[in-house]
Amino acid sequence: LDLGATISCDLVISCDLALQNGALTVQVLDLGATIHSVRVPDKHGVVQEVTLGFDDVKPYCDGRSPYFGCAVGRVANRTANAAF
C-alpha cells in the first residue's frame, strides 16, 4: 500500500497481517508501529473497519494525529523523574 511520503520524503511502508480465513486483517505502518487499520466481521459477518485513523500518511507525520494507532510501550509515561 502506497500511503505517500513523510515530511522528510521517506517512503512509508505498511505490513499487512491477516488470518488465513480472512476474518481479521491488520495493517501496521513503519512509523513507530502505528496501527493503521483493523478489519473484523460484525455479528452479521460483514467485515468492517474498527480503527480511527487517516487515509493519508501526512497527519501521522506532521503532528495533527492525536496518537491514532500508536503502539504504547510498557512504561507509557511512567518515567517522569525516574532515577537509577
Side-chain angles (χ1 to χ4, degrees), residues 54 59 63-70:
F54 301 101
R64 290 185 287 152
S65 171
Y67 301 104
F68 286 157
C70 71

Short mmCIF file of all heavy atoms in Angstrom, two decimals, residues 54 59 63-70:
data_model
loop_
_atom_site.label_atom_id
_atom_site.label_comp_id
_atom_site.label_asym_id
_atom_site.label_seq_id
_atom_site.Cartn_x
_atom_site.Cartn_y
_atom_site.Cartn_z
N PHE A 54 -6.35 7.95 9.54
CA PHE A 54 -6.37 8.81 8.37
C PHE A 54 -6.12 7.98 7.12
O PHE A 54 -5.46 6.95 7.16
CB PHE A 54 -5.28 9.88 8.47
CG PHE A 54 -5.44 10.75 9.68
CD1 PHE A 54 -4.66 10.53 10.81
CD2 PHE A 54 -6.36 11.78 9.70
CE1 PHE A 54 -4.80 11.34 11.93
CE2 PHE A 54 -6.50 12.59 10.81
CZ PHE A 54 -5.72 12.36 11.92
N PRO A 59 -0.95 13.34 8.19
CA PRO A 59 -1.33 13.68 9.58
C PRO A 59 -0.57 12.88 10.63
O PRO A 59 -0.36 13.36 11.74
CB PRO A 59 -2.83 13.35 9.64
CG PRO A 59 -3.28 13.42 8.24
CD PRO A 59 -2.13 12.94 7.42
N GLY A 63 2.16 15.94 13.05
CA GLY A 63 1.70 16.31 14.39
C GLY A 63 0.21 16.54 14.52
O GLY A 63 -0.26 16.89 15.60
N ARG A 64 -0.57 16.35 13.47
CA ARG A 64 -2.02 16.54 13.56
C ARG A 64 -2.74 15.31 14.12
O ARG A 64 -3.90 15.39 14.50
CB ARG A 64 -2.62 16.88 12.20
CG ARG A 64 -2.24 18.26 11.72
CD ARG A 64 -2.96 18.60 10.44
NE ARG A 64 -2.37 17.83 9.34
CZ ARG A 64 -3.03 17.48 8.25
NH1 ARG A 64 -4.30 17.78 8.11
NH2 ARG A 64 -2.43 16.79 7.31
N SER A 65 -2.06 14.19 14.17
CA SER A 65 -2.68 12.96 14.66
C SER A 65 -2.70 12.93 16.18
O SER A 65 -1.68 13.10 16.83
CB SER A 65 -1.89 11.75 14.15
OG SER A 65 -2.36 10.57 14.77
N PRO A 66 -3.87 12.72 16.77
CA PRO A 66 -3.93 12.60 18.23
C PRO A 66 -3.55 11.19 18.69
O PRO A 66 -4.29 10.53 19.40
CB PRO A 66 -5.38 12.93 18.55
CG PRO A 66 -6.13 12.52 17.33
CD PRO A 66 -5.19 12.73 16.16
N TYR A 67 -2.42 10.72 18.22
CA TYR A 67 -1.89 9.39 18.56
C TYR A 67 -2.79 8.26 18.10
O TYR A 67 -2.83 7.20 18.72
CB TYR A 67 -1.59 9.29 20.05
CG TYR A 67 -0.60 10.32 20.50
CD1 TYR A 67 -1.01 11.44 21.21
CD2 TYR A 67 0.75 10.19 20.19
CE1 TYR A 67 -0.10 12.41 21.60
CE2 TYR A 67 1.67 11.15 20.58
CZ TYR A 67 1.23 12.25 21.28
OH TYR A 67 2.14 13.20 21.65
N PHE A 68 -3.53 8.46 17.00
CA PHE A 68 -4.32 7.36 16.44
C PHE A 68 -3.39 6.21 16.11
O PHE A 68 -2.39 6.36 15.43
CB PHE A 68 -5.03 7.79 15.16
CG PHE A 68 -6.22 8.68 15.35
CD1 PHE A 68 -6.64 9.50 14.33
CD2 PHE A 68 -6.93 8.68 16.53
CE1 PHE A 68 -7.75 10.31 14.47
CE2 PHE A 68 -8.04 9.48 16.69
CZ PHE A 68 -8.45 10.30 15.66
N GLY A 69 -3.72 5.02 16.58
CA GLY A 69 -2.99 3.82 16.22
C GLY A 69 -1.63 3.65 16.84
O GLY A 69 -0.88 2.77 16.46
N CYS A 70 -1.29 4.49 17.82
CA CYS A 70 0.06 4.40 18.38
C CYS A 70 0.22 3.12 19.20
O CYS A 70 -0.71 2.64 19.83
CB CYS A 70 0.39 5.62 19.22
SG CYS A 70 -0.48 5.73 20.78
#
